[in-house]
Amino acid sequence: MIVAGVYVARFYHMSMNAFKIKSTHRPAGDQPQAIKKLVTGLKRGERHQTLLGVTGSGKTFTVANVIEKVQRPTLVIAHNKTLAAQLAQEYREFFPDNAVHYFVSYYDYYQPEAYMPITDTYIEKEAMINEEIDRLRHATTQSLLTRSDVIVVASVSCIYGLGSPIEYEKVHLKISTGALIDRAEFIRRLIGVHFERTNADLTPGKFRAIGNTVEIMPVNERIIYQIKIVGRRMSHVLKIDAISRRIVDEVKMLFLYPAKHFITPEEERKRAMADIKKELARQLIKLKKEGKILEVERLKRRTNHDLALIREIGYCNGIENYSRHFDGRKSGEPPYTLLSYFPKNFLTVIDESHVTVPQIAGMYAGDRSRKKTLVEHGFRLPSAVDNRPLMFSEFEEKVGQVLYTSATPGEYEYEKSGKNIVEQVIRPTGLVDPEIIVKPITEGGKYKGPASTRGDSPKQGGQIADFIEEAEKVTKAGRRTLVTTLTKKMAEDLSEYLKEKGVKAEYVHSDVKTMDRITILTDFRKGKFDCLVGVNLLREGLDLPEVELVAILDADKEGFLRSETSLIQTIGRAARNTAGRVILYADTETGSMKKAIDETNRRRKLQLAHNKKHGITPKTIIKNIKDITEELRSEHDKAVKALLTIDKKLFEKNPKKLIKEKEQQMNEAVKILDFETAALLRDEINALKKRLDR
């Protein structure tokens, strides 16, 4: 028979594989001492530690070694999906035999529900759910409930409501060969855990029943499980490849988890619906007292419609807004999140913490403001406010021991870590931080700072004329130049002025479309132009080894764009080239400048001493230019056309079979986070389907 087990999977199906790195590299440079200090701190029970690692020092490899030594499930949080995908791929390469998962928001497009009272504009929630990412999210939670060797790389979506892990685990179905089974009851149970019945091709979260055979595709993998019923028993359970229909294996036991994370047993659902009705009655009385007649009718109609859907099919759009009632939480209590699925002893790593920590801290306030407006105007019940991200204090309480990684940690990390700041300044590659000189802004001016960094005074034309002269030298050597300005307008004007003076230049800033930015960066690396002008976009995430000179205009204008963190990040753009150097244009030395220069020079001296001691000769990093994803435009289209040409004969022979094979290849590419290949295959499949429909 089918058994709904409480914690059965955790006790009977828990994998205990050890974390084991598989790599030809061994810790080098500062990595060995950093690994030792971090591991010692964790074993000593230190709650917060910071890995202060310079660009190119191998922070991810260091953290991987820490995970291997402490053998604990780990959550790695990144500040955007792209960075999370890159990190997940790196960890998968380090730990091929362990469970490494990618957990981000499953929306390709998301417009949250909102109301703007000033214009009386209601914006309905609009979302495009990426089914593949939804599958990866389910794979993540199921691994956390069934394995101990799990690394999850997540965006800040990990602090948003997810549904109770207790209920998610409690209602799983245990399917085993030889067990007693009633076909009709089995189908009802599948529907009860949100599997959809279909007569067409199976996709994750769907099943089909033909005669005494039931075929199911779990929500976490693209594999079909075929259950054959003979009499009132399961005669066998086959694992079948979804594309080729090849039998992969015969399984004796299968644990089938729900197709949705928000799961509520029938009795709990009835209690929750009763609680929602009580809250509705209270809120209607409140709104009537305030004279909000329109709001009364609006709330009554919306809530009763949702309750009818929940009663009939167990689900409604926006059901997460009632999550407090279904979870049995009190008003103000934190929601269940991905963190709730981890065991108590898990380790948290916050990547690029100077960006990620403030992002986590800012999520709650924005969400609450939007929800309160919806409640005040009768679009939602007050309990909708409890469908929210974690407050930062709640996040701190739930994560346990934390490692922050950054080249420029923020005040929070320094305050929390105290003496537990572990430096990783020495690069295994031997690359040295760039030399820094400071030149006055104005013609004939004098820089009032230390003589050790003082450069020549600009001649006629001040900092712009001097920069052009310096850029021309770099261009003649076949290298590139970056220059940062304080405003978008200045970036545009400087770009035009440079062109007039014969310097091939382009600009980038936040008003330039993402795809155009990619094209500009690709052209820059290819040498189609020599100087890139920008504002703060030149700080994090740019890996441009061709850059030999970085110039920072108006470096003494203290502020966000000229803070210690911003200056260090910008200076770091020249750290991928052996001839890298930086010019700061300033008349006075600000506190931020002094700290950034002192820190860069300190790191430079340490690396030079290490190189001399070990006989290391630094070499400029050489990277393939395609890693700025130039295929996303013209190269992408060319590649799709090439694939269509190659597959032309196969399509003519058996078009449906070819499309299925391509879909399988696309899914495999997504599985290993190779999104460039997946995008190519996706567009080829769409083109093939159009041909088929002609």
Side-chain angles (χ1 to χ4, degrees), residues 491-560:
E492 295 173 9
D493 291 346
L494 178 57
S495 174
E496 289 304 311
Y497 184 73
L498 289 169
K499 288 176 184 177
E500 290 173 9
K501 294 296 180 181
V503 178
K504 295 178 182 177
E506 297 291 344
Y507 68 85
V508 287
H509 54 60
S510 57
D511 288 346
V512 178
K513 292 180 180 179
T514 301
M515 297 304 296
D516 291 335
R517 253 181 274 166
I518 291 170
T519 301
I520 289 168
L521 290 171
T522 303
D523 289 346
F524 180 54
R525 290 198 61 194
K526 285 181 173 179
K528 291 185 178 180
F529 64 95
D530 306 307
C531 179
L532 182 62
V533 188
V535 191
N536 64 332
L537 292 177
L538 303 183
R539 294 188 295 113
E540 292 108 358
L542 279 187
D543 187 1
L544 305 170
E546 295 82 6
V547 171
E548 184 175 291
L549 172 65
V550 171
I552 303 175
L553 303 182
D554 301 301
D556 57 359
K557 302 300 186 287
E558 188 77 83
F560 170 70

Side-chain angles (χ1 to χ4, degrees), residues 127-139:
M128 289 176 60
I129 292 179
N130 184 311
E131 291 184 358
E132 185 59 26
I133 292 179
D134 190 31
R135 184 186 70 77
L136 294 172
R137 285 165 65 94
H138 279 278

Side-chain angles (χ1 to χ4, degrees), residues 681-693:
L681 290 165
R682 176 201 62 202
D683 290 350
E684 186 193 5
I685 291 164
N686 290 338
L688 291 171
K689 285 181 176 178
K690 285 180 182 178
R691 286 185 184 179
L692 191 61
D693 292 337

Side-chain angles (χ1 to χ4, degrees), residues 436-443 447 455-459 461-471 481-484 486 490 494 549-557 562 567 581-590 593 597:
I436 300 174
I437 61 170
V438 185
K439 294 187 175 187
I441 295 172
T442 54
E443 178 185 334
Y447 168 59
D456 297 332
S457 295
K459 299 174 185 177
Q463 62 178 349
I464 301 299
D466 188 85
F467 165 69
I468 291 174
E469 187 179 324
E470 293 287 351
T481 302
L482 293 179
V483 56
T484 66
L486 283 172
M490 188 176 177
L494 178 57
L549 172 65
V550 171
I552 303 175
L553 303 182
D554 301 301
D556 57 359
K557 302 300 186 287
R562 298 296 181 263
L567 289 172
R581 60 194 178 95
V582 177
I583 300 175
L584 305 182
Y585 289 97
D587 290 330
T588 59
E589 183 182 56
T590 64
M593 282 176 58
I597 292 169

Side-chain angles (χ1 to χ4, degrees), residues 31 51-64 405-407 424:
Q31 292 171 343
L51 174 61
L52 195 165
V54 300
T55 303
S57 63
K59 295 187 287 292
T60 305
F61 187 52
T62 295
V63 173
T405 69
S406 174
Q424 188 166 295

Side-chain angles (χ1 to χ4, degrees), residues 5 26 95 107 138 144 167 180 326 386 435 465 538 566 586 607 614 677:
R26 293 290 176 266
F95 297 104
Y107 297 119
H138 279 278
L144 286 170
E167 296 302 332
L180 289 171
F326 288 104
D386 289 309
E435 285 187 278
L538 303 183
S566 292
Q607 185 73 57
H614 297 279
T677 301

Side-chain angles (χ1 to χ4, degrees), residues 253-272:
M253 187 178 295
L254 168 67
F255 292 98
L256 198 64
Y257 281 85
K260 295 185 184 296
H261 281 110
F262 289 94
I263 289 292
T264 308
E266 183 61 30
E267 290 304 312
E268 287 295 302
R269 186 186 305 166
K270 290 178 181 177
R271 176 200 54 74

